[in-house]
């Protein structure tokens, strides 16, 4: 696995890639790629960090595991490639976004415009074996992404953390809740969306927190693609 952390992240979490756990993780992912299809493609593994430099992070939305079907994952939590059908959780995110802020539901699930505005779309695990959800859990990725969460929590500017579902909410202890805003609700998956995600209005809450801190809101409208 090629490691090329962007310069802005190298300064705050660069030590992680030199630790023994990360070398074991690197070997595991390399062996997996030799034997199986692994998503996302290697150049996309660190896309969340590439598209959202450390100094630009204003919001962190935490996902769990990359999408595991062909052509979906490209390194951003909840996002899919432009020409891929939107997964159910993302469909529900767009429904809530429509009900919350009146955004039109786009014809694609490519969330790069959010990342480019400072929304870090971070999965706790950054790779997965094709068609085998959670197959790369507990191999070291969580230690790495925990370090990312702690580094974001320690930023000079406060950050809005969005924790959807029980897995994400277990990361609460990594976040300084005195300095940052934390928004929690049920997960947008079809299994739980009706039990507390729908109606939770996370997007307006994020923007309210940003404006309260004197910063511009996020433009959540994902443009249609031709």
């Amino acid at each position: 696995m090629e490691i090329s952390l962007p310069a802005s992240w190298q300064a705050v979490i660069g030590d992680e890639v030199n630790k023994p756990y990360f070398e074991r993780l690197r070997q595991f992912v390399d062996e997996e790629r030799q034997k199986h299809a692994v998503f996302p493609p290697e150049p996309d593994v660190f896309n969340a960090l590439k598209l959202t430099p450390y100094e630009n992070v204003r919001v962190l939305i935490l996902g769990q595991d990359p999408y595991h079907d062909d052509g979906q994952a490209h390194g951003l939590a909840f996002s899919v490639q432009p020409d891929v059908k939107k997964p159910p959780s993302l469909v529900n995110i767009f429904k809530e976004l429509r009900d919350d802020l009146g955004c039109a539901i786009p014809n694609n699930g490519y969330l790069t415009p959010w990342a480019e505005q400072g929304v870090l779309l971070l999965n706790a695990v950054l790779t997965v074996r094709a068609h085998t959800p959670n197959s790369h859990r507990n191999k070291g990725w969580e230690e790495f992404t925990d370090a990312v969460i702690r580094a974001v929590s320690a930023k000079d500017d406060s950050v809005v953390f969005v924790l959807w579902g029980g897995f994400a909410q277990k990361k609460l202890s990594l976040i300084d809740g005195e300095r940052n805003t934390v928004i929690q609700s049920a997960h947008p998956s079809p299994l739980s969306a009706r039990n507390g995600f729908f109606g939770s209005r996370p997007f307006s809450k994020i923007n309210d927190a940003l404006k309260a801190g004197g910063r511009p809101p996020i433009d959540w409208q994902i443009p249609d693609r031709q």
Side-chain angles (χ1 to χ4, degrees), residues 5 16 23 31-32 47 54 56-58 63 65-66 81 87 101 149 152 157 170 197 202 206 214:
L5 290 181
E16 294 298 313
E23 184 53 39
E31 290 169 9
E32 282 280 286
N47 266 356
Y54 179 71
N56 291 0
V57 178
R58 299 190 282 152
D65 202 41
Q81 297 279 17
L101 290 175
I149 293 168
V152 171
D157 297 331
K170 288 176 183 169
F197 176 73
I206 293 166

Side-chain angles (χ1 to χ4, degrees), residues 58-59 97 101 117 160 183 201-213 215-220:
R58 299 190 282 152
V59 180
L97 183 53
L101 290 175
Q117 295 180 75
V160 185
I183 294 170
R201 306 199 64 187
F203 305 100
S204 58
K205 288 176 181 174
I206 293 166
N207 281 352
D208 287 347
L210 291 172
K211 286 185 280 191
R215 286 169 297 166
I218 304 295
D219 177 3
W220 294 103

Side-chain angles (χ1 to χ4, degrees), residues 50-93:
K50 291 174 184 173
L51 288 167
T52 312
Y54 179 71
E55 62 272 12
N56 291 0
V57 178
R58 299 190 282 152
V59 180
L60 190 156
I61 297 178
L62 185 65
Q64 186 166 355
D65 202 41
Y67 294 126
H68 56 85
D69 283 340
D70 296 333
Q72 292 179 306
H74 66 107
L76 300 183
F78 297 104
S79 180
V80 289
Q81 297 279 17
D83 52 352
V84 173
K85 181 181 177 183
K86 288 174 283 195
S89 290
L90 187 53
V91 169
N92 287 340
I93 287 169

Side-chain angles (χ1 to χ4, degrees), residues 17-148:
V17 301
N18 299 317
K19 292 181 179 178
Y21 85 85
F22 202 93
E23 184 53 39
R24 292 191 296 271
L25 170 64
R26 187 201 306 256
Q27 290 175 359
F28 167 77
V29 174
D30 286 346
E31 290 169 9
E32 282 280 286
R33 287 198 189 276
Q34 288 168 17
K35 298 174 189 171
H36 310 279
V38 170
F39 301 134
E42 188 166 289
D44 291 347
V45 169
F46 295 104
N47 266 356
L49 304 182
K50 291 174 184 173
L51 288 167
T52 312
Y54 179 71
E55 62 272 12
N56 291 0
V57 178
R58 299 190 282 152
V59 180
L60 190 156
I61 297 178
L62 185 65
Q64 186 166 355
D65 202 41
Y67 294 126
H68 56 85
D69 283 340
D70 296 333
Q72 292 179 306
H74 66 107
L76 300 183
F78 297 104
S79 180
V80 289
Q81 297 279 17
D83 52 352
V84 173
K85 181 181 177 183
K86 288 174 283 195
S89 290
L90 187 53
V91 169
N92 287 340
I93 287 169
F94 284 138
K95 286 179 181 174
E96 179 62 20
L97 183 53
R98 176 197 62 198
D99 294 347
D100 185 3
L101 290 175
C103 290
I105 294 178
N107 64 3
N108 69 94
Y110 190 59
L111 303 183
T112 296
W114 293 357
E116 290 171 341
Q117 295 180 75
V119 180
L120 182 62
L121 295 165
L122 182 72
N123 277 319
V125 175
L126 298 188
T127 55
V128 68
R129 186 189 299 178
H131 318 301
T132 315
N134 293 316
S135 48
H136 289 188
R137 277 180 68 185
N138 301 323
K139 301 297 183 182
W141 278 128
E142 294 91 341
E143 193 167 342
F144 176 77
T145 55
D146 282 359
V148 173

